[in-house]
Amino acid sequence: EVQLVESGGGLVQPGGSLRLSCAASGFTFSSYSMNWVRQAPGKGLEWVSCISSSRSTIYYADSVKGRFTISRDNAKNSLYLQMNSLRAEDTAVYYCARAYQLLSWFDPWGQGTLVTVSS
Amino acid sequence: DIQMTQSPSSLSASVGDRVTITCRASQGISNSLAWYQQKPGKAPKLLLYAASRLESGVPSRLSGSGSETDYTLTISSLQPEDFATYYCQQYYSTPITFGQGTRLEIK
């Protein structure tokens, strides 16, 4: 069964840092692009970042560029999101999602991990 | 950035009704469009991709159509499990963008 499991969310103060992880199983992780998508409480979906299967290509939303860093470890079947200089507006459920290629639909999605930025 | 505008933002309907949700892109996206269903507290689920291709396991009462800037998701006969929020997504170019969502409620 294809599965994505996020972890690392929690409560952090404004200006703080957090590292999210996404553990993949049930498929050849190194063959797929991966994405992070977030959803603020009661709001819609916002794409955050994507990384190609070989790590050669990375894109970010303008709202996180310069503060967030996406990475992956294909040997560990894991995707990461390092989040620095966090702001209240970064509060959201963060989902990892698999993509067939860099510009593609997302399937499946993980269950999400909640990040709350508050003092 | 490509803006995705969904309409309506909410919709009340009854079991058995036929409903259509529209998604308009601010520029042509060459059928690079997906539809997702999200239920409260759950992750989004892929329904269709490439505008009209049904994901495996998704009921055939759902269908998608459109081209260039205008796309639709149609549910031919609503079932109780269809009441949820629906999002369109363009993957034609980065930043990948989503519509604001359409909440489908029971009348």
Side-chain angles (χ1 to χ4, degrees), chain A residues 1 3 9 12 16 23 25 28 38-39 46-47 53 60 62 77 81 92 94 108 112-114:
Chain A
E1 178 193 4
Q3 195 170 14
V12 61
S25 59
T28 304
R38 68 185 180 183
Q39 186 170 36
E46 180 188 16
W47 172 80
S53 57
Y60 295 99
D62 285 346
N77 293 337
L81 186 67
Y94 285 73
T113 187
L114 176 62

Side-chain angles (χ1 to χ4, degrees), chain B residues 35-87:
Chain B
W35 289 97
Y36 300 89
Q37 178 194 65
Q38 187 178 34
K39 295 185 177 180
K42 300 294 186 181
K45 173 190 171 185
L46 176 69
L47 300 174
L48 296 105
Y49 59 94
S52 61
R53 297 187 179 182
L54 205 63
E55 171 68 355
S56 175
V58 174
S60 59
R61 63 180 180 274
L62 278 72
S63 63
S65 65
S67 64
E68 289 311 308
T69 61
D70 294 318
Y71 299 88
T72 59
L73 169 68
T74 299
I75 306 175
S76 61
S77 178
L78 276 172
Q79 298 302 301
E81 59 268 30
D82 297 332
F83 292 95
T85 300
Y86 294 83
Y87 294 94

